[in-house]
Amino acid sequence: MSDDLETLREQTVQALAAATDMREWDAVRVGTLGKSGRLTALLKELGRMTPDARRQRGGALNRLRDELSRLIEARGQELETAALNARLAAERVDVTLPCAPQAEGLLHPITRTIEEMTAIFGAMGFQLAEGPDIESDWHNFSALNTPAHHPARTDQDTFYLPAVAEGQPERVLRTQTSGVQIRTMLGKEPPIRIIAPGRTYRADHDATHSPMFHQCEGLVIEKGITLGHLKGCLSDFLRAFFQMPDLPVRFRASYFPFTEPSMEIDIGWSRKTGQIGTGGDWLEVLGAGMVHPRVLANCGLDAREWQGFAFGMGIERLTMLRHGIPDLRSFYESDVRWLRHYGTSPLSPALLHEGL
């Protein structure tokens, strides 16, 4: 290799060693192999040489070009690796540091109560059923044997909506989830065992009533169902829900148009202290009864073959009793402080084997 080529090689190697980043490296590469680079200029001079000199000089230049290309490429990879390592070191995240605290969301007490009811009745073989919030007058009243003169059908108690089309009956915001029972009996062959929790609407608003509230109704239709099955089912539910195996439960005669006989269910309660399960007083918590034969007939079922019982309870009412909440309106005020106090972790499922 001639002296000028050896000098070019040594200068290029020294410049590559002195390059500390990719910008300086690229300047060496362009200054050597670029269009105006020193080696490129030497290659352009080959055209002015004799054939023998061009052959000898061209071979030396090609060997130098290959060597310098390898050196430049290797140095570029070294600098890229060094830059990446430096970036990783500078941007390293210390995973041992504690994470920033995050506010924990909580389940609303109504949601939790519905989950617990579903778990308890689910263990008894009940299925969950749902229906529309806007019902026809027939599903909400007529099919349930509610007479036309019944006070519940007046504008003072029920929210009526315009009919879908002229000549059709008015619609209502359902006053109870009993319409789900009717839809289930119409659409499913017995035996039937369902609960229907959901929103209901009535024209009432005070400390113990709300125009929108939640109910959970249940229905059992099977052959040979008796009042004893009703009493056993609801006694077991109340004792499991309030977590009191010896909770006093009383069944008291009452009247509902869709059941016969009808009854209201009371639990032991102290009027003085408000404590459940103690004292000599009684507190009504839900209504129930054997399904009226007319209701069965309205749904196409023969009362001589099928019998059943139905029940209904206010979810807010049971939640208030369970947690000692004094005012129904606080359920809907969206007070985060109230929810932090009465809310439940979503990571704590309502399962019977966890000790409901």
Side-chain angles (χ1 to χ4, degrees):
M1 185 181 294
S2 62
D3 293 341
D4 61 334
L5 297 186
E6 183 64 28
T7 300
L8 176 59
R9 179 185 179 282
E10 291 179 356
Q11 291 177 350
T12 302
V13 171
Q14 292 175 1
L16 287 173
T20 58
D21 55 36
M22 294 301 295
R23 182 181 61 81
E24 295 178 358
W25 169 86
D26 192 60
V28 175
R29 181 186 65 81
V30 173
T32 304
L33 302 177
K35 291 182 178 181
S36 301
R38 295 170 62 187
L39 182 58
T40 305
L42 294 176
L43 288 170
K44 291 179 180 180
E45 294 177 357
L46 292 174
R48 298 192 296 268
M49 295 182 178
T50 63
D52 292 338
R54 184 188 309 126
R55 187 181 305 112
Q56 183 180 0
R57 179 75 169 178
L61 288 173
N62 286 335
R63 289 190 294 272
L64 178 60
R65 182 180 60 185
D66 293 342
E67 181 182 1
L68 292 181
S69 296
R70 289 194 299 270
L71 292 174
I72 291 173
E73 182 66 24
R75 182 56 177 166
Q77 292 180 357
E78 291 178 3
L79 292 174
E80 284 184 349
T81 302
L84 178 60
N85 291 335
R87 182 179 176 185
L88 291 175
E91 298 178 0
R92 178 178 297 175
V93 177
D94 187 354
V95 296
T96 64
L97 290 174
C99 63
Q102 298 289 333
E104 181 184 14
L106 299 173
L107 294 179
H108 195 281
I110 292 178
T111 302
R112 178 64 177 189
T113 298
I114 293 175
E115 289 184 350
E116 293 182 358
M117 289 179 171
T118 303
I120 296 172
F121 283 114
M124 300 181 189
F126 284 75
Q127 295 180 329
L128 194 67
E130 296 179 334
D133 286 16
I134 300 176
E135 279 284 16
S136 68
D137 181 87
W138 187 84
H139 285 93
N140 197 76
F141 292 122
S142 300
L144 293 165
N145 196 39
T146 305
H149 57 78
H150 196 281
R153 304 183 79 151
T154 63
D155 293 341
Q156 285 75 25
D157 288 335
T158 300
F159 294 107
Y160 282 90
L161 301 175
V164 177
E166 186 177 354
Q168 294 188 2
E170 291 181 314
R171 299 170 297 162
V172 300
L173 289 177
R174 64 182 183 185
T175 60
Q176 55 209 356
T177 57
S178 302
V180 180
Q181 300 180 25
I182 300 298
R183 293 179 180 273
T184 302
M185 286 189 283
L186 289 171
K188 181 180 179 181
E189 293 291 332
I192 295 171
R193 193 177 296 190
I194 64 160
I195 58 168
R199 292 183 297 268
T200 54
Y201 310 86
R202 295 181 188 175
D204 206 352
H205 191 207
D206 55 40
T208 57
H209 297 84
S210 170
M212 190 282 294
F213 58 100
H214 296 77
Q215 274 194 345
C216 179
E217 299 202 9
L219 174 69
V220 174
I221 301 293
E222 296 181 20
K223 294 181 179 180
I225 291 294
T226 68
L227 198 59
H229 296 106
L230 180 153
K231 295 177 67 176
C233 174
L234 296 182
S235 295
D236 288 347
F237 163 74
L238 291 170
R239 287 165 180 159
F241 180 79
F242 288 107
Q243 302 177 8
M244 294 182 181
D246 56 350
L247 176 69
V249 179
R250 182 178 71 174
F251 292 80
R252 174 170 43 85
S254 185
Y255 167 77
F256 303 109
F258 33 81
T259 53
E260 180 62 37
S262 304
M263 61 201 68
E264 292 180 336
I265 293 85
D266 306 330
I267 59 174
W269 174 68
S270 173
R271 187 183 301 273
K272 179 181 292 187
T273 64
Q275 188 172 358
I276 295 174
T278 63
D281 302 313
W282 295 97
L283 181 66
E284 182 268 325
V285 291
L286 63 96
M290 303 301 293
V291 179
H292 199 289
R294 290 180 184 172
V295 176
L296 294 174
N298 289 337
C299 298
L301 298 178
D302 188 349
R304 294 169 296 183
E305 180 181 5
W306 300 102
Q307 298 79 41
F309 63 83
F311 55 87
M313 63 195 82
I315 295 177
E316 282 87 344
R317 180 170 177 76
L318 291 184
T319 306
M320 293 170 71
L321 293 173
R322 172 82 173 272
H323 299 286
I325 301 173
D327 194 329
L328 175 69
R329 292 169 292 192
S330 58
F331 281 97
Y332 313 110
E333 291 176 347
S334 301
D335 189 332
V336 177
R337 298 168 301 174
W338 182 89
L339 182 58
R340 289 197 187 110
H341 181 75
Y342 292 107
T344 307
S345 171
L347 301 179
S348 177
L351 302 177
L352 287 179
H353 70 264
E354 293 189 351
L356 252 183

